[in-house]
Structures are given as structure tokens and as C-alpha cells.
Amino acid sequence: MGKNVAVVAAGVGKKFPMGKQTVPALRDVSLSLPAGTLTALTGPSGSGKSTLLHLIAGLERVDSGTLEVLGNQVHASTPAELAALRLREIGFVHQDFSLLADLTLIENVRLPLEATGTARAAATTAAREAMARVGLEGLEQRFPAEVSGGQQQRAAIARAIVGNRTLVLADEPTGSLDSKTGAEIMAVLGQLRDEGVTVVLSTHNPANLSHADQVAVLHDGTLVSFDTNEGGEA
């Protein structure tokens, strides 16, 4: 993998058990995602978007093919190696934010660094920097229930980039937000891309595709198109 390529999938397949049978979630998917770009995965529900994100994050294991992420052969990595990769370089943003209700926003954001043994003071400094990058200055001591849904999603994005992680994976990051707030979140992800972070997101919303450098369309687990978005907002 070249240093300017973040993700390379070659013939990736994934099946899940369903009763006594196995159901294919992805079939022979091949694509290459340049570093520092924003890629949108789109397609109907059940098309394999979330499965592909989970494979890139190392949260699920590839059944066939090869998958390299940030120079790591995740298809051949151990669970411990994948966990270390996530803590060090990969952030995952969930649609439901997944913030801990009894922690302040800055406590939520600094959690990944504390999990790696970073000292509290250094983790707090890094968390403040990450929150500033997504426009949350002044809200560090608020609890999730005390801020809006858009601000909660910004906090989840800050947690995903804290410590200068270089790959952000976002599963329907605007799915539970109104259109105006969703557009603001897409602008934040676009800004991160402009700063050199590689962003891969799944979305049902056609409006989000205008922010992407490339768009991958999935259907029934198959990659039906993968095109550079000439009209994307660079």
C-alpha cells in the first residue's frame, strides 16, 4: 500500500449466520481510498454499508479477500492488534453518538487517550484541542443531556479524532439530526478532510454526497459503482 492510500479492499467478502444458514453481507468488494479524502458509502438498508465500515475498523473479521488499513493487513491481524490500531489511529462515530451520560463532554472525548495510558493532564489538553476543532469551545464541562443533538455528534467526532487519529469512520452520522444540523456536521467532517484526516461515512441522505470526494454505491452487498465526485466540495 502506498503512503497516500488509506484503505485498500481486494475481493472482500463477509457472511453472517442466520439460523442454520449464512447470509452474505458483502460480496467481492474491491476499492481504494486515498488518504485525506472523504468517501461516502450509500445504498439502501441492508446493502452492506455498515458492514464495510465495521470491517475497516477491525470490528468484524473479513471472511474472504484482503483488507489493508493505514498500512496494516487487518484481514490477518489479531484482535489485540486491531484494538491497538483503533485506539491509536482510527475513530468511529455512531449515529446515536454513544456518549456516556454521566461524564462531561471533555471526559467523554479524552477517554480513548486515557485508555492508552496517557496522563490526565495531557489527555485533557488533547481533548480541548479536539473539541476546538469541531466548534465546541466553552462546552467542555457540559453533560451530554445539556447540549443539542448536533453538539453531541460534534463531541462524538472530537472523541474520534482526539490524539490526532488519522482515519474517521462514521456510520450514518446525520441520520438522527435535522437537515440543518446534519449539514453542519457534514461541514465539520469536510473540514477534517481538509486538515488531512481520511473520512469514510455511510449515509442514506443524497444531500451528504455533495461533500464527498468519491461515492461508493452498494446494493445487496455488491459494490455497483465507485466514482470520483467531480462536484464534491473540496
Side-chain angles (χ1 to χ4, degrees), residues 69-153:
V69 178
L70 303 176
N72 300 269
Q73 296 189 344
V74 300
H75 59 278
S77 298
T78 67
E81 289 170 339
L82 294 174
L85 177 64
R86 283 192 297 274
L87 280 174
R88 187 174 67 248
E89 295 193 70
I90 300 174
F92 202 100
V93 181
H94 299 270
Q95 178 177 343
D96 63 356
F97 320 136
S98 294
L99 300 173
L100 298 179
D102 58 344
L103 297 182
T104 63
L105 295 185
I106 196 167
E107 288 171 340
N108 270 282
V109 171
R110 74 186 182 205
L111 272 178
L113 292 183
E114 293 186 318
T116 65
T118 302
R120 173 65 58 83
T124 298
T125 297
R128 287 186 183 278
E129 292 173 353
M131 291 181 72
R133 287 175 71 183
V134 300
L136 288 178
E137 301 97 327
L139 299 179
E140 292 86 357
Q141 301 307 320
R142 298 280 186 92
F143 288 90
E146 297 175 332
V147 300
S148 68
Q151 289 167 332
Q152 290 183 58
Q153 190 62 294

Side-chain angles (χ1 to χ4, degrees), residues 27-57:
R27 316 165 190 252
D28 195 27
V29 171
S30 297
L31 49 75
S32 178
L33 307 182
T37 62
L38 192 157
T39 300
L41 309 178
T42 191
S45 296
S47 60
K49 303 184 301 295
S50 293
T51 298
L52 183 54
L53 284 180
H54 288 179
L55 291 175
I56 294 171

Side-chain angles (χ1 to χ4, degrees), residues 146-172:
E146 297 175 332
V147 300
S148 68
Q151 289 167 332
Q152 290 183 58
Q153 190 62 294
R154 287 172 186 258
I157 294 169
R159 183 181 57 194
I161 62 171
V162 71
N164 294 316
R165 283 180 286 180
T166 56
L167 175 60
V168 170
L169 308 172
D171 196 4
E172 295 283 355

